[in-house]
Amino acid sequence: MKRTIFLLGFICFSIINSSAQTFNRQDSLLGSITPERSWWDLKHYKLEVTVDPNTKSLQGSNTIRYRVLKSHDVMQIDLQAPMEIDSIIYRKKSLSFTSEGNAHFIRFTKKQPKDSDEQLTIYFSGKPRVARRPPWDGGFTWQKDTNGKFFIANANQGIGASIWWPNKDHPYDEPDQGVRLSITTPKDLVGVGNGRLVGTDENDNSKTWHWNVSNPINNYGVNINIGDYVHFGETYSGLKGDLDMDYWVLRENEAKARKQFQQTVGMMEAFEHWFGPYPFYEDSFKLVEVPYLGMEHQSSVTYGNNYGNGYLGNDLSGTGWGLKFDFIIIHEAGHEWFANNITNQDVADMWLHEGFTAYSENLYLDYHYGKNAAADYVIGTRRMIQNDRPIIGTYNVRHEGSSDMYYKGANILHTLRQLLEDDERWRAILRGLNKDFYHQTVSSAMVEQYISKASGIDLTEFWEQYLRTTMIPLVEYKVDGNQLSFRYEDIIKGFDMPVIALVNEEEEWIFPTSEWKSKTFSEKIQSVEIKRDFFVNSEKLE
Ligand SMILES: [Zn+2]
C-alpha cells in the first residue's frame, strides 16, 4: 500500500521530461524573452470565448492592450495548433503574420513609437487539444455530469495557456491591469472564470458570463469552467477586511461541498497568519468544481478531490496528518501566495511555486495542530523525493526542474526554519516575500538573496547545494569515548551548514565541514543522532 501511494504521488507530481534533454528552436521561441516579446509590456487582456460543447470547439477574440517599451514592428503571439488565428485587427485594419510552429509574428506597417499605449484584437477559433491526463497533460476536458449535462474545463500549466487562446505565453510578463473574461455557454449552463462576476447577457441561444480580474494574473491561471453549477458563498473577515469567498459546484454535489468546503475559512486563517493578507481581495476567492483533480487558477481555484480529505483519499506523508485536510483546498489555495502573487519569471524556477506551496501544507498543520504535527508531515513527505535531477531546470527553453521541486523544496524550507531558530522571524520572512514581491514575477536568485539578507545567514552554498545539485549532504561521524568527530560528504565546495546533533539525547549544534572536526563532551557518548528536521543523511563510521 505504501508503494502504491508512493507511486501515485510520483506519477501525479512528475510534471514533464526525462533527464536527457535536448532543446529545439520551438523551445527557445516559447521559453525565452525574444526580441519580438521584450519591446512591449502587457497591460490588459479582454478575452471573449464562445464554447460549443457539441463540436468541442471554441471561437473568440483577445484584445491585447500594451505599452511600447522600445520601438519595433514585429510582435510575437503564441497560439498552439490545432487552434488557429483567423484575423488580427489593429486600428480597424487587418495585419498580416507569419508563423513558426506555435509562435506567430505579427507585422505592423511601421514601427510603433516608444511609450505609446496600443491595442490590437486577435480573432481565433478551433478545437483545442483534449487533455489526456489533466491537470498534468493539459488541455480541455469535455465531460458530462450524472444528469447528462456538459461539464467542461481547461487546465494548461506546463503546456501553456496558448493551448487555447492567443497571448504572450511566457511567465515574465503579466497584464498589469488584469483580464476581462467573457464566456458564452449554452443557455442551461453556467460559465465560471477568474475574478468577479460582473454581468451576464441573455442571447438568443446562449448566455454570456462576464468575469473581471483587476490584478495581474499569470497566463496559465486564466481558466473557464462550464457546468450545471450552483453557487453558495460566505464572507471572511480577514487581514485586509471582508473577503468574498464563493463556491461553484455541480448541482448534484452541493450538500457534500457545503460540508467539505467548511475547511476553507481555516485555510485562509492559517495562510494569512503565515504569509500575510490574501493577495487578491479585490477579485475575491473562489473554489470551482472541475472534472480533474485541481489547479491553482488565480481567484478561482479549481477543485476535483471528490469531497474527501487527503490527496484523492491518500496521505502523501504516510504519517496520518495528510488526512486531516483536503489536499486540493490547502495546496491549490496555498498557490495564491506562491505562484499567483509571487510568480516565477521562468518555469526553470517553478520551485518558487511548488516548493513553497508544498511547504505551506505543513504550515497549515502547524497553525491548527502544532509544530510536531507539521514536522511529522513535512518530514514524512521525504519519501516522495527522487533525487533524479536538480530542482532548478534549464532557463529560456520552457524547462521545469525535477518533481523534487515539491517535497525536497518543502524540506529545504523546513531546514531553513531550523537554521533561523526563530519562528517569528521566519514568519516575517515569508510575509516579507509576499509583501516585497507583491504581484511580481521573480527569479529564484531574487528569492535566494532576499532570504539570505533577511535571515542574516549567507545561504549561497545552501541554495547551490539543494537547488542546483541532486546531492543530499551526508554527515559522517565517529564516537570515541567522550569525543564526537564529524564531517560532511556529498557536498559542494564550501557547504558548511550547521546541524543539531542529539548527543545522549541532548541537543547540540555542530558545525561540520568537509574536514574532520571533533567536539569533546563531559560524559561518555552513548547515542548520537542528527535531528530529523535537518534534511541531511547521516552515517556512523566504526
Ligand atoms: Zn502545486
Side-chain angles (χ1 to χ4, degrees):
M1 192 59 194
K2 194 173 169 184
R3 177 90 182 142
T4 317
I5 296 170
F6 185 83
L7 274 175
L8 171 78
F10 170 67
I11 291 164
C12 294
F13 284 106
S14 75
I15 300 177
I16 47 165
N17 300 331
S18 58
S19 52
Q21 187 79 28
T22 53
F23 301 105
N24 59 31
R25 167 96 175 135
Q26 277 294 301
D27 297 323
S28 296
L29 279 178
L30 294 176
S32 65
I33 303 168
T34 61
E36 292 78 18
R37 279 172 167 163
S38 66
W39 64 268
W40 52 287
D41 179 32
L42 267 172
K43 290 294 168 200
H44 188 263
Y45 287 128
K46 183 177 168 215
L47 177 60
E48 300 182 325
V49 191
T50 299
V51 180
D52 182 350
N54 291 307
T55 58
K56 297 183 180 172
S57 63
L58 310 178
Q59 183 165 31
S61 65
N62 184 18
T63 299
I64 305 174
R65 283 200 277 116
Y66 57 96
R67 164 82 46 91
V68 179
L69 302 175
K70 204 176 131 204
S71 187
H72 208 290
D73 58 358
V74 182
M75 171 186 271
Q76 178 180 342
I77 289 292
D78 309 291
L79 182 65
Q80 300 181 36
M83 295 301 292
E84 281 184 9
I85 293 177
D86 299 323
S87 64
I88 301 164
I89 303 297
Y90 172 71
R91 295 188 182 172
K92 295 183 179 161
K93 288 206 175 101
S94 178
L95 291 180
S96 67
F97 64 96
T98 54
S99 302
E100 194 176 340
N102 295 320
H104 309 282
F105 298 93
I106 301 169
R107 287 171 198 282
F108 293 93
T109 48
K110 59 178 191 227
K111 284 195 169 183
Q112 302 220 303
K114 186 175 184 302
D115 296 330
S116 62
D117 291 307
E118 305 283 347
Q119 70 170 55
L120 55 71
T121 301
I122 302 173
Y123 293 87
F124 64 98
S125 62
K127 294 184 180 184
R129 177 191 152 106
V130 173
R132 289 176 207 134
R133 196 168 58 85
W136 301 281
D137 189 1
F140 264 73
T141 302
W142 307 87
Q143 280 191 11
K144 286 189 174 171
D145 67 17
T146 54
N147 299 319
K149 298 234 181 176
F150 283 109
F151 187 28
I152 301 159
N154 73 289
N156 46 246
Q157 185 188 27
I159 197 164
S162 56
I163 196 79
W164 64 280
W165 59 289
N167 58 77
K168 183 194 266 192
D169 202 1
H170 190 291
Y172 88 99
D173 194 9
E174 296 186 353
D176 308 324
Q177 294 156 13
V179 174
R180 171 84 172 207
L181 175 57
S182 300
I183 308 164
T184 300
T185 68
K187 260 191 173 334
D188 60 335
L189 298 174
V190 178
V192 181
N194 309 76
R196 289 184 186 273
L197 182 63
V198 290
T200 54
D201 291 331
E202 297 284 347
N203 317 313
D204 286 345
N205 296 310
S206 62
K207 189 164 177 177
T208 304
W209 306 78
H210 301 285
W211 296 86
N212 193 59
V213 180
S214 61
N215 287 303
I217 179 169
N218 51 36
N219 283 338
Y220 80 87
V222 175
N223 77 146
I224 57 181
N225 310 285
I226 298 170
D228 182 22
Y229 286 125
V230 291
H231 166 252
F232 60 98
E234 60 192 313
T235 306
Y236 171 73
S237 177
L239 293 181
K240 268 174 81 172
D242 285 346
L243 171 64
D244 293 323
M245 309 237 278
D246 293 286
Y247 311 110
W248 296 81
V249 300
L250 289 186
R251 189 173 303 282
E252 63 203 54
N253 292 330
E254 183 180 350
K256 282 190 255 180
R258 281 185 182 273
K259 189 158 175 283
Q260 188 71 0
F261 290 179
Q262 285 171 8
Q263 289 184 36
T264 315
V265 162
M267 171 280 294
M268 199 52 82
E269 243 181 69
F271 289 161
E272 286 209 319
H273 171 81
W274 279 105
F275 301 145
Y278 171 71
F280 309 104
Y281 269 71
E282 306 77 10
D283 294 329
S284 79
F285 175 83
K286 292 202 297 291
L287 288 175
V288 185
E289 183 176 352
V290 287
Y292 62 87
L293 183 57
M295 184 51 71
E296 64 256 30
H297 300 122
Q298 182 174 313
S299 66
S300 68
V301 166
T302 49
Y303 178 90
N305 199 30
N306 302 336
Y307 299 102
N309 278 359
Y311 179 105
L312 292 172
N314 295 306
D315 173 10
L316 296 183
S317 75
T319 62
W321 290 112
L323 298 176
K324 295 286 185 192
F325 58 92
D326 186 315
F327 181 90
I328 291 299
I329 296 178
I330 303 309
H331 178 95
E332 305 306 342
H335 276 305
E336 294 280 24
W337 286 262
F338 293 97
N340 297 340
N341 187 34
I342 302 175
T343 307
N344 57 215
Q345 280 173 355
D346 189 301
V347 294
D349 289 334
M350 193 176 272
W351 89 278
L352 299 174
H353 299 190
E354 300 302 351
F356 281 85
T357 300
Y359 181 67
S360 78
E361 296 157 23
N362 100 94
L363 293 182
Y364 171 84
L365 285 169
D366 189 301
Y367 185 83
H368 291 289
Y369 299 93
K371 205 168 169 174
N372 282 332
D376 282 351
Y377 178 83
V378 68
I379 292 165
T381 60
R382 285 180 193 165
R383 66 188 188 152
M384 309 272 291
I385 298 171
Q386 307 285 311
N387 285 315
D388 53 347
R389 290 189 294 129
I391 284 179
I392 290 187
T394 308
Y395 292 98
N396 297 319
V397 284
R398 200 189 275 240
H399 177 248
E400 296 167 10
S402 163
S403 59
D404 286 348
M405 70 175 89
Y406 288 80
Y407 291 105
K408 184 175 167 189
N411 272 283
I412 69 178
L413 294 172
H414 183 66
T415 301
L416 261 181
R417 179 180 180 178
Q418 317 308 313
L419 293 178
L420 259 77
E421 257 193 317
D422 182 343
D423 287 349
E424 275 314 295
R425 195 150 169 221
W426 178 232
R427 186 164 77 101
I429 290 175
L430 295 170
R431 291 169 74 115
L433 281 168
N434 276 285
K435 186 161 172 277
D436 294 338
F437 294 135
Y438 184 70
H439 292 177
Q440 288 180 37
T441 65
V442 300
S443 64
S444 181
M446 288 163 74
V447 170
E448 292 163 38
Q449 282 154 21
Y450 183 96
I451 298 178
S452 270
K453 195 163 169 245
S455 65
I457 305 170
D458 181 354
L459 296 166
T460 311
E461 283 82 18
F462 175 91
W463 295 124
E464 195 63 27
Q465 168 91 24
Y466 284 115
L467 296 176
R468 296 179 180 85
T469 83
T470 56
M471 289 187 293
I472 306 304
L474 170 67
V475 180
E476 290 184 336
Y477 62 92
K478 292 187 269 198
V479 174
D480 184 10
N482 292 21
Q483 197 181 55
L484 176 69
S485 304
F486 47 84
R487 72 165 179 189
Y488 270 130
E489 279 285 311
D490 300 339
I491 54 166
I492 60 162
K493 194 164 178 285
F495 182 88
D496 59 356
M497 180 180 79
V499 293
I500 292 174
L502 296 161
V503 179
N504 296 342
E505 293 173 20
E506 296 280 332
E507 292 195 359
E508 284 285 339
W509 279 100
I510 59 170
F511 298 81
T513 65
S514 60
E515 305 293 326
W516 282 103
K517 284 185 179 180
S518 294
K519 189 165 182 168
T520 306
F521 291 81
S522 55
E523 285 169 32
K524 188 171 186 296
I525 298 173
Q526 309 283 356
S527 66
V528 178
E529 207 180 306
I530 305 301
K531 198 175 179 195
R532 64 176 188 149
D533 299 279
F534 293 83
F535 183 46
V536 296
N537 293 322
S538 64
E539 191 180 352
K540 185 179 182 186
L541 303 184
E542 299 300 338

